[in-house]
């Protein structure tokens, strides 16, 4: 069965750091673009970051650029999100997701999602 299990979420003070992990199983992890997506209270899903299947290309939302770093270890079937200089507006449930290119749309689509891990940035 396909599983994506996030971990590492916590309560942290503004300016602090967290490292999120997402352990994948049940699919060919190394063939997928991996993404982090978050949902703040009362808001919709917000894309945070992508990393390509080989780990050589990364992309970030403007809101996190320069503060967050996405990485992956295909040998461990795990994707990470290092979050530094955290702000209260980073408070959200963070999800990892696996994406593939849609044949009809030629756009990447999220095929698998984890359950999320809570990140709370507060004094």
């Amino acid at each position: 069965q396909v599983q994506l299990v996030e971990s590492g979420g916590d309560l942290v003070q503004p300016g602090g750091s967290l490292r999120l992990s997402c352990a994948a199983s049940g699919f060919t992890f190394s063939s997928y673009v991996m993404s982090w997506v978050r949902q703040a209270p009362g808001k919709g899903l917000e894309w945070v970051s992508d990393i390509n299947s080989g780990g050589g290309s990364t992309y970030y939302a403007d809101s996190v650029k320069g503060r967050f770093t996405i990485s992956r270890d295909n040998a461990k079937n795990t994707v990470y999100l290092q979050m530094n200089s955290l702000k209260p507006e980073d408070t959200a449930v963070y999800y990892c997701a696996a994406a593939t290119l849609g044949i009809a749309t030629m756009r990447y689509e999220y095929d698998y999602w984890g359950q999320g891990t809570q990140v709370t940035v507060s004094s």
Side-chain angles (χ1 to χ4, degrees):
Q1 83 211 69
V2 172
Q3 281 193 304
L4 292 170
V5 182
E6 300 95 335
S7 62
D10 205 352
L11 172 65
V12 64
Q13 293 184 341
S17 297
L18 285 173
R19 189 197 193 204
L20 306 184
S21 298
C22 173
S25 61
F27 66 99
T28 306
F29 177 81
S30 61
S31 296
Y32 283 76
V33 168
M34 294 300 298
S35 300
W36 287 97
V37 181
R38 67 187 181 185
Q39 187 167 33
K43 297 184 178 180
L45 294 170
E46 178 190 18
W47 170 77
V48 175
S49 184
D50 287 335
I51 187 166
N52 76 327
S53 60
S57 298
T58 58
Y59 307 90
Y60 301 92
D62 288 342
S63 58
V64 307
K65 196 172 297 181
R67 300 187 297 119
F68 291 10
T69 303
I70 191 171
S71 61
R72 68 192 295 162
D73 186 340
N74 284 345
K76 296 180 179 179
N77 285 2
T78 302
V79 62
Y80 306 94
L81 186 67
Q82 178 66 47
M83 305 186 296
N84 299 326
S85 301
L86 283 162
K87 304 174 181 180
E89 50 262 47
D90 295 319
T91 295
V93 177
Y94 283 72
Y95 301 92
C96 66
T100 54
L101 185 65
I103 297 173
T105 63
M106 293 300 290
R107 295 180 177 181
Y108 281 92
E109 302 170 352
Y110 299 121
D111 295 321
Y112 309 120
W113 293 80
Q115 293 297 309
T117 186
Q118 177 70 50
V119 172
T120 302
V121 184
S122 176
S123 299

